Amino acid sequence: MKKNLFEMGAKFDDNWHSDNKQKPKKQTTTETKAPNKHSLTIAKEKRRGKTVTIIKEFFIQKNELKSLLKNLKKSLGCGGTVKENTLEFQGDIADRIREELVKREFRFKK
């Protein structure tokens, strides 16, 4: 009698699994920097006819980045998300975001 009827004749050696839902976890090693040591850039993109404002590259912990996003969304009155080490906001609001981040002592490239 076989152990699993769905694996008839199949041999899963060398760390192969019949479950294809197991994905390797990405290892993210981010160094943390103080806000005044950042050198951020602002970019704008058009996605499906709408403008998205992107601020990159943050060097802070993921939970701190999420709380920063939450505070910025509340003060700016717009939607946004965290993707990797960047913040994406809905709309063309680059000037307002720059002002808010400068108040929080972040620096930008010229």
Side-chain angles (χ1 to χ4, degrees):
M1 199 87 169
K2 294 190 177 198
K3 290 190 258 179
N4 191 346
L5 296 177
F6 296 108
E7 296 177 3
M8 295 187 299
K11 293 184 181 179
F12 292 100
D13 295 336
D14 299 327
N15 296 326
W16 284 90
H17 301 283
S18 62
D19 185 16
N20 63 351
K21 295 180 182 177
Q22 294 178 350
K23 295 182 181 178
K25 293 184 179 182
K26 294 181 182 177
Q27 293 188 8
T28 56
T29 56
T30 58
E31 57 186 68
T32 57
K33 292 184 180 179
N36 59 358
K37 300 290 183 184
H38 281 77
S39 184
L40 301 174
T41 58
I42 295 180
K44 296 178 195 173
E45 288 184 6
K46 287 277 192 173
R47 294 185 184 166
R48 297 182 186 152
K50 300 188 181 194
T51 306
V52 177
T53 306
I54 303 168
I55 295 114
K56 45 183 153 176
E57 175 106 26
F58 286 93
F59 294 101
I60 55 178
Q61 295 294 325
K62 190 79 165 176
N63 57 357
E64 293 176 16
L65 192 59
K66 286 182 180 181
S67 66
L68 175 65
L69 174 72
K70 183 177 179 180
N71 292 333
L72 286 172
K73 288 191 321 184
K74 186 181 257 188
S75 64
L76 296 171
C78 67
T81 187
V82 175
K83 290 194 177 174
E84 295 179 9
N85 291 333
T86 64
L87 296 179
E88 295 185 2
F89 292 94
Q90 297 173 352
D92 185 7
I93 53 173
D95 298 331
R96 293 173 37 204
I97 291 174
R98 183 183 293 267
E99 291 173 11
E100 288 293 324
L101 287 173
V102 168
K103 286 180 189 175
R104 291 173 168 84
E105 299 179 356
F106 284 96
R107 292 185 344 184
F108 287 88
K109 287 184 181 178
K110 293 183 181 182

